[in-house]
Amino acid sequence: MVGAQLRARGIRDERVLAAMSHLPRHEFVPAELADRAYEDGPLAIGLNQTISQPYIVALMTEKLNPGQDDRVLEIGTGSGYQTAILAKLAGAVFTVEVLREHHEVASELLGRLGYTNIRTRLGDGNNGWPLHAPFDGIIVTAAARELPERLLGQLKEGGRMIVPVDDERGGGQRLRLVRRRGGLAVDIEEGVPVRFVPLVQEAERK
Ligand code: SAH
């Protein structure tokens, strides 16, 4: 997986490559899909949600570039796989999931794997996690309609956020990488096209 899918496509950060070669991805997928865990694509984890393709996890992590003392907020815990990769690289990871079942399964697994620098929370990620803000980095692993302003407000000055955003030029989504400067978001680069499940708004779930 690391050689053929990540290095071959240009992932260069050795910390990211090491984290991804050490983490047992098969633990994060349903038992019946364990033999497909290292395939080059997303996999269904139940309730219409997916664990992201390994390359996308690596790409987003490399672009977020968390330092070893950084505090990172993740929106969309899902399987907990991206959470665990971040926890190997950052000082502390705070992750929010809106679906109770995923929150519970991921929390149990991350605890069992021995992580002590992860805090999980059940709730609407659109609100971020004010109690632990501000963060050095924020990663959103579900697609937002537009840049989530409320999350930007929980970033430190100079902090980075990576988020898939609906492409206003029609169809699909693109990764956006922004840096907070003077309370505003400064785009760092034009992102690659991606396909994430939508970031739900709390009101839509009723
Ligand atoms: N990072 C995950 C990918 C999860 S898929 C992994 O590595 O497995 C996206 C997740 O975002 C789903 O679990 C979905 O329930 C969650 N999600 C969607 N909208 C959300 C919201 N408003 N707040 C928190 N989580 C949300």
Side-chain angles (χ1 to χ4, degrees), residues 88-119:
K88 288 178 178 290
L89 304 175
V93 183
F94 301 85
T95 184
V96 183
E97 169 58 51
V98 76
L99 295 179
R100 177 176 298 276
E101 184 179 328
H102 286 325
H103 162 74
E104 286 175 354
V105 170
S107 300
E108 191 275 327
L109 174 59
L110 293 166
R112 182 156 59 78
L113 293 177
Y115 290 92
T116 55
N117 61 342
I118 295 174
R119 300 277 291 275

mmCIF file of all heavy atoms in Angstrom, residues 88-119:
data_model
loop_
_atom_site.group_PDB
_atom_site.id
_atom_site.type_symbol
_atom_site.label_atom_id
_atom_site.label_comp_id
_atom_site.label_asym_id
_atom_site.label_seq_id
_atom_site.Cartn_x
_atom_site.Cartn_y
_atom_site.Cartn_z
ATOM 1 N N LYS A 88 -0.495 9.706 15.698
ATOM 2 C CA LYS A 88 0.910 9.285 15.651
ATOM 3 C C LYS A 88 1.832 10.467 15.366
ATOM 4 O O LYS A 88 3.030 10.406 15.640
ATOM 5 C CB LYS A 88 1.114 8.226 14.552
ATOM 6 C CG LYS A 88 0.510 6.853 14.897
ATOM 7 C CD LYS A 88 0.730 5.906 13.729
ATOM 8 C CE LYS A 88 0.195 4.506 14.017
ATOM 9 N NZ LYS A 88 0.996 3.789 15.040
ATOM 10 N N LEU A 89 1.287 11.537 14.783
ATOM 11 C CA LEU A 89 2.118 12.650 14.342
ATOM 12 C C LEU A 89 1.966 13.906 15.193
ATOM 13 O O LEU A 89 2.902 14.699 15.288
ATOM 14 C CB LEU A 89 1.763 13.005 12.883
ATOM 15 C CG LEU A 89 1.877 11.851 11.877
ATOM 16 C CD1 LEU A 89 1.393 12.295 10.507
ATOM 17 C CD2 LEU A 89 3.313 11.357 11.797
ATOM 18 N N ALA A 90 0.773 14.098 15.762
ATOM 19 C CA ALA A 90 0.484 15.340 16.479
ATOM 20 C C ALA A 90 0.582 15.126 17.985
ATOM 21 O O ALA A 90 0.700 13.999 18.460
ATOM 22 C CB ALA A 90 -0.907 15.828 16.101
ATOM 23 N N GLY A 91 0.489 16.229 18.729
ATOM 24 C CA GLY A 91 0.506 16.133 20.180
ATOM 25 C C GLY A 91 -0.819 15.615 20.713
ATOM 26 O O GLY A 91 -0.853 14.740 21.578
ATOM 27 N N ALA A 92 -1.919 16.176 20.212
ATOM 28 C CA ALA A 92 -3.242 15.778 20.674
ATOM 29 C C ALA A 92 -4.231 15.916 19.535
ATOM 30 O O ALA A 92 -4.139 16.841 18.729
ATOM 31 C CB ALA A 92 -3.687 16.643 21.853
ATOM 32 N N VAL A 93 -5.177 14.970 19.471
ATOM 33 C CA VAL A 93 -6.200 14.988 18.436
ATOM 34 C C VAL A 93 -7.575 14.993 19.096
ATOM 35 O O VAL A 93 -7.854 14.182 19.978
ATOM 36 C CB VAL A 93 -6.092 13.763 17.496
ATOM 37 C CG1 VAL A 93 -7.136 13.845 16.378
ATOM 38 C CG2 VAL A 93 -4.688 13.672 16.895
ATOM 39 N N PHE A 94 -8.400 15.921 18.653
ATOM 40 C CA PHE A 94 -9.772 16.049 19.129
ATOM 41 C C PHE A 94 -10.661 15.740 17.941
ATOM 42 O O PHE A 94 -10.546 16.378 16.902
ATOM 43 C CB PHE A 94 -10.009 17.477 19.631
ATOM 44 C CG PHE A 94 -9.076 17.852 20.749
ATOM 45 C CD1 PHE A 94 -7.802 18.352 20.475
ATOM 46 C CD2 PHE A 94 -9.449 17.658 22.069
ATOM 47 C CE1 PHE A 94 -6.923 18.659 21.502
ATOM 48 C CE2 PHE A 94 -8.576 17.972 23.105
ATOM 49 C CZ PHE A 94 -7.311 18.463 22.823
ATOM 50 N N THR A 95 -11.524 14.720 18.065
ATOM 51 C CA THR A 95 -12.301 14.303 16.905
ATOM 52 C C THR A 95 -13.791 14.256 17.225
ATOM 53 O O THR A 95 -14.183 13.775 18.295
ATOM 54 C CB THR A 95 -11.786 12.957 16.341
ATOM 55 O OG1 THR A 95 -12.506 12.631 15.139
ATOM 56 C CG2 THR A 95 -11.932 11.821 17.336
ATOM 57 N N VAL A 96 -14.600 14.771 16.313
ATOM 58 C CA VAL A 96 -16.043 14.884 16.517
ATOM 59 C C VAL A 96 -16.782 14.079 15.452
ATOM 60 O O VAL A 96 -16.470 14.184 14.274
ATOM 61 C CB VAL A 96 -16.498 16.364 16.432
ATOM 62 C CG1 VAL A 96 -17.997 16.483 16.729
ATOM 63 C CG2 VAL A 96 -15.694 17.247 17.375
ATOM 64 N N GLU A 97 -17.751 13.272 15.895
ATOM 65 C CA GLU A 97 -18.548 12.446 14.970
ATOM 66 C C GLU A 97 -20.027 12.631 15.313
ATOM 67 O O GLU A 97 -20.404 12.629 16.469
ATOM 68 C CB GLU A 97 -18.143 10.970 15.107
ATOM 69 C CG GLU A 97 -19.031 9.972 14.414
ATOM 70 C CD GLU A 97 -19.172 10.185 12.903
ATOM 71 O OE1 GLU A 97 -18.148 10.302 12.217
ATOM 72 O OE2 GLU A 97 -20.323 10.244 12.425
ATOM 73 N N VAL A 98 -20.846 12.728 14.281
ATOM 74 C CA VAL A 98 -22.265 13.007 14.509
ATOM 75 C C VAL A 98 -23.092 11.724 14.673
ATOM 76 O O VAL A 98 -24.171 11.759 15.263
ATOM 77 C CB VAL A 98 -22.820 13.902 13.372
ATOM 78 C CG1 VAL A 98 -23.048 13.098 12.091
ATOM 79 C CG2 VAL A 98 -24.072 14.640 13.797
ATOM 80 N N LEU A 99 -22.620 10.590 14.166
ATOM 81 C CA LEU A 99 -23.373 9.333 14.276
ATOM 82 C C LEU A 99 -22.901 8.537 15.496
ATOM 83 O O LEU A 99 -21.720 8.194 15.611
ATOM 84 C CB LEU A 99 -23.199 8.480 13.014
ATOM 85 C CG LEU A 99 -23.770 9.055 11.716
ATOM 86 C CD1 LEU A 99 -23.486 8.104 10.546
ATOM 87 C CD2 LEU A 99 -25.268 9.302 11.845
ATOM 88 N N ARG A 100 -23.870 8.228 16.371
ATOM 89 C CA ARG A 100 -23.511 7.582 17.642
ATOM 90 C C ARG A 100 -22.755 6.272 17.435
ATOM 91 O O ARG A 100 -21.760 6.001 18.105
ATOM 92 C CB ARG A 100 -24.775 7.341 18.486
ATOM 93 C CG ARG A 100 -24.497 6.618 19.791
ATOM 94 C CD ARG A 100 -25.748 6.480 20.646
ATOM 95 N NE ARG A 100 -26.301 7.773 21.032
ATOM 96 C CZ ARG A 100 -25.863 8.481 22.083
ATOM 97 N NH1 ARG A 100 -24.896 8.028 22.842
ATOM 98 N NH2 ARG A 100 -26.410 9.645 22.359
ATOM 99 N N GLU A 101 -23.229 5.451 16.492
ATOM 100 C CA GLU A 101 -22.596 4.145 16.336
ATOM 101 C C GLU A 101 -21.120 4.276 15.942
ATOM 102 O O GLU A 101 -20.247 3.601 16.503
ATOM 103 C CB GLU A 101 -23.348 3.301 15.303
ATOM 104 C CG GLU A 101 -22.769 1.909 15.193
ATOM 105 C CD GLU A 101 -23.517 1.042 14.195
ATOM 106 O OE1 GLU A 101 -24.745 1.218 14.047
ATOM 107 O OE2 GLU A 101 -22.856 0.198 13.563
ATOM 108 N N HIS A 102 -20.839 5.154 14.984
ATOM 109 C CA HIS A 102 -19.431 5.333 14.587
ATOM 110 C C HIS A 102 -18.609 5.926 15.730
ATOM 111 O O HIS A 102 -17.466 5.540 15.956
ATOM 112 C CB HIS A 102 -19.325 6.226 13.353
ATOM 113 C CG HIS A 102 -19.742 5.534 12.094
ATOM 114 N ND1 HIS A 102 -19.505 4.195 11.870
ATOM 115 C CD2 HIS A 102 -20.378 5.981 10.989
ATOM 116 C CE1 HIS A 102 -19.983 3.857 10.685
ATOM 117 N NE2 HIS A 102 -20.532 4.922 10.127
ATOM 118 N N HIS A 103 -19.190 6.866 16.430
ATOM 119 C CA HIS A 103 -18.500 7.458 17.576
ATOM 120 C C HIS A 103 -18.116 6.372 18.585
ATOM 121 O O HIS A 103 -16.977 6.310 19.048
ATOM 122 C CB HIS A 103 -19.401 8.516 18.230
ATOM 123 C CG HIS A 103 -19.001 8.877 19.620
ATOM 124 N ND1 HIS A 103 -17.890 9.665 19.897
ATOM 125 C CD2 HIS A 103 -19.520 8.533 20.828
ATOM 126 C CE1 HIS A 103 -17.773 9.786 21.222
ATOM 127 N NE2 HIS A 103 -18.737 9.115 21.798
ATOM 128 N N GLU A 104 -19.078 5.487 18.875
ATOM 129 C CA GLU A 104 -18.820 4.477 19.906
ATOM 130 C C GLU A 104 -17.819 3.421 19.436
ATOM 131 O O GLU A 104 -16.904 3.058 20.171
ATOM 132 C CB GLU A 104 -20.148 3.822 20.340
ATOM 133 C CG GLU A 104 -20.955 4.776 21.218
ATOM 134 C CD GLU A 104 -22.339 4.250 21.587
ATOM 135 O OE1 GLU A 104 -22.740 3.177 21.076
ATOM 136 O OE2 GLU A 104 -23.013 4.934 22.384
ATOM 137 N N VAL A 105 -17.993 2.949 18.197
ATOM 138 C CA VAL A 105 -17.095 1.897 17.698
ATOM 139 C C VAL A 105 -15.658 2.441 17.600
ATOM 140 O O VAL A 105 -14.697 1.793 18.020
ATOM 141 C CB VAL A 105 -17.592 1.367 16.331
ATOM 142 C CG1 VAL A 105 -16.557 0.472 15.682
ATOM 143 C CG2 VAL A 105 -18.912 0.618 16.516
ATOM 144 N N ALA A 106 -15.518 3.653 17.057
ATOM 145 C CA ALA A 106 -14.176 4.227 16.890
ATOM 146 C C ALA A 106 -13.535 4.526 18.252
ATOM 147 O O ALA A 106 -12.342 4.271 18.450
ATOM 148 C CB ALA A 106 -14.247 5.501 16.039
ATOM 149 N N SER A 107 -14.319 5.035 19.190
ATOM 150 C CA SER A 107 -13.763 5.358 20.508
ATOM 151 C C SER A 107 -13.229 4.097 21.189
ATOM 152 O O SER A 107 -12.140 4.101 21.772
ATOM 153 C CB SER A 107 -14.828 5.993 21.411
ATOM 154 O OG SER A 107 -15.317 7.170 20.827
ATOM 155 N N GLU A 108 -14.004 3.012 21.073
ATOM 156 C CA GLU A 108 -13.603 1.755 21.699
ATOM 157 C C GLU A 108 -12.310 1.235 21.053
ATOM 158 O O GLU A 108 -11.370 0.838 21.732
ATOM 159 C CB GLU A 108 -14.749 0.748 21.562
ATOM 160 C CG GLU A 108 -14.596 -0.514 22.378
ATOM 161 C CD GLU A 108 -13.764 -1.586 21.686
ATOM 162 O OE1 GLU A 108 -13.811 -1.670 20.431
ATOM 163 O OE2 GLU A 108 -13.046 -2.310 22.390
ATOM 164 N N LEU A 109 -12.274 1.283 19.722
ATOM 165 C CA LEU A 109 -11.103 0.769 19.007
ATOM 166 C C LEU A 109 -9.846 1.588 19.327
ATOM 167 O O LEU A 109 -8.783 1.030 19.603
ATOM 168 C CB LEU A 109 -11.375 0.792 17.493
ATOM 169 C CG LEU A 109 -10.209 0.413 16.591
ATOM 170 C CD1 LEU A 109 -9.698 -0.990 16.902
ATOM 171 C CD2 LEU A 109 -10.614 0.537 15.119
ATOM 172 N N LEU A 110 -9.975 2.909 19.295
ATOM 173 C CA LEU A 110 -8.802 3.768 19.543
ATOM 174 C C LEU A 110 -8.296 3.569 20.969
ATOM 175 O O LEU A 110 -7.083 3.591 21.222
ATOM 176 C CB LEU A 110 -9.155 5.235 19.264
ATOM 177 C CG LEU A 110 -9.445 5.532 17.779
ATOM 178 C CD1 LEU A 110 -10.107 6.906 17.616
ATOM 179 C CD2 LEU A 110 -8.166 5.454 16.938
ATOM 180 N N GLY A 111 -9.226 3.330 21.905
ATOM 181 C CA GLY A 111 -8.821 3.048 23.283
ATOM 182 C C GLY A 111 -8.087 1.716 23.357
ATOM 183 O O GLY A 111 -7.028 1.590 23.975
ATOM 184 N N ARG A 112 -8.635 0.722 22.667
ATOM 185 C CA ARG A 112 -8.037 -0.623 22.685
ATOM 186 C C ARG A 112 -6.653 -0.612 22.062
ATOM 187 O O ARG A 112 -5.753 -1.352 22.484
ATOM 188 C CB ARG A 112 -8.969 -1.588 21.933
ATOM 189 C CG ARG A 112 -8.520 -3.023 21.899
ATOM 190 C CD ARG A 112 -9.696 -3.973 21.676
ATOM 191 N NE ARG A 112 -10.444 -3.739 20.449
ATOM 192 C CZ ARG A 112 -10.030 -4.123 19.245
ATOM 193 N NH1 ARG A 112 -8.871 -4.733 19.108
ATOM 194 N NH2 ARG A 112 -10.772 -3.891 18.183
ATOM 195 N N LEU A 113 -6.451 0.220 21.045
ATOM 196 C CA LEU A 113 -5.132 0.295 20.409
ATOM 197 C C LEU A 113 -4.131 1.099 21.257
ATOM 198 O O LEU A 113 -2.971 1.211 20.900
ATOM 199 C CB LEU A 113 -5.252 0.893 19.001
ATOM 200 C CG LEU A 113 -6.015 0.033 17.972
ATOM 201 C CD1 LEU A 113 -6.131 0.760 16.641
ATOM 202 C CD2 LEU A 113 -5.346 -1.335 17.774
ATOM 203 N N GLY A 114 -4.599 1.670 22.347
ATOM 204 C CA GLY A 114 -3.687 2.272 23.315
ATOM 205 C C GLY A 114 -3.388 3.753 23.142
ATOM 206 O O GLY A 114 -2.479 4.279 23.790
ATOM 207 N N TYR A 115 -4.152 4.449 22.300
ATOM 208 C CA TYR A 115 -3.889 5.893 22.130
ATOM 209 C C TYR A 115 -4.310 6.659 23.367
ATOM 210 O O TYR A 115 -5.393 6.454 23.896
ATOM 211 C CB TYR A 115 -4.652 6.440 20.909
ATOM 212 C CG TYR A 115 -4.082 5.918 19.623
ATOM 213 C CD1 TYR A 115 -4.594 4.765 19.040
ATOM 214 C CD2 TYR A 115 -3.010 6.556 19.016
ATOM 215 C CE1 TYR A 115 -4.049 4.263 17.873
ATOM 216 C CE2 TYR A 115 -2.461 6.065 17.850
ATOM 217 C CZ TYR A 115 -2.980 4.919 17.286
ATOM 218 O OH TYR A 115 -2.437 4.417 16.137
ATOM 219 N N THR A 116 -3.439 7.534 23.835
ATOM 220 C CA THR A 116 -3.765 8.338 25.017
ATOM 221 C C THR A 116 -3.864 9.817 24.679
ATOM 222 O O THR A 116 -4.162 10.634 25.534
ATOM 223 C CB THR A 116 -2.680 8.159 26.107
ATOM 224 O OG1 THR A 116 -1.411 8.479 25.516
ATOM 225 C CG2 THR A 116 -2.659 6.736 26.637
ATOM 226 N N ASN A 117 -3.631 10.166 23.414
ATOM 227 C CA ASN A 117 -3.665 11.583 23.016
ATOM 228 C C ASN A 117 -4.839 11.891 22.083
ATOM 229 O O ASN A 117 -4.771 12.814 21.284
ATOM 230 C CB ASN A 117 -2.338 11.990 22.361
ATOM 231 C CG ASN A 117 -2.025 11.195 21.101
ATOM 232 O OD1 ASN A 117 -2.593 10.123 20.874
ATOM 233 N ND2 ASN A 117 -1.130 11.726 20.283
ATOM 234 N N ILE A 118 -5.902 11.078 22.194
ATOM 235 C CA ILE A 118 -7.096 11.296 21.368
ATOM 236 C C ILE A 118 -8.286 11.530 22.285
ATOM 237 O O ILE A 118 -8.493 10.786 23.242
ATOM 238 C CB ILE A 118 -7.397 10.062 20.480
ATOM 239 C CG1 ILE A 118 -6.279 9.844 19.463
ATOM 240 C CG2 ILE A 118 -8.735 10.232 19.756
ATOM 241 C CD1 ILE A 118 -6.434 8.555 18.639
ATOM 242 N N ARG A 119 -9.060 12.569 21.978
ATOM 243 C CA ARG A 119 -10.334 12.785 22.667
ATOM 244 C C ARG A 119 -11.432 12.708 21.632
ATOM 245 O O ARG A 119 -11.333 13.357 20.590
ATOM 246 C CB ARG A 119 -10.363 14.171 23.338
ATOM 247 C CG ARG A 119 -9.268 14.361 24.373
ATOM 248 C CD ARG A 119 -9.646 13.784 25.711
ATOM 249 N NE ARG A 119 -10.710 14.533 26.350
ATOM 250 C CZ ARG A 119 -10.518 15.624 27.089
ATOM 251 N NH1 ARG A 119 -9.304 16.109 27.274
ATOM 252 N NH2 ARG A 119 -11.545 16.224 27.651
#
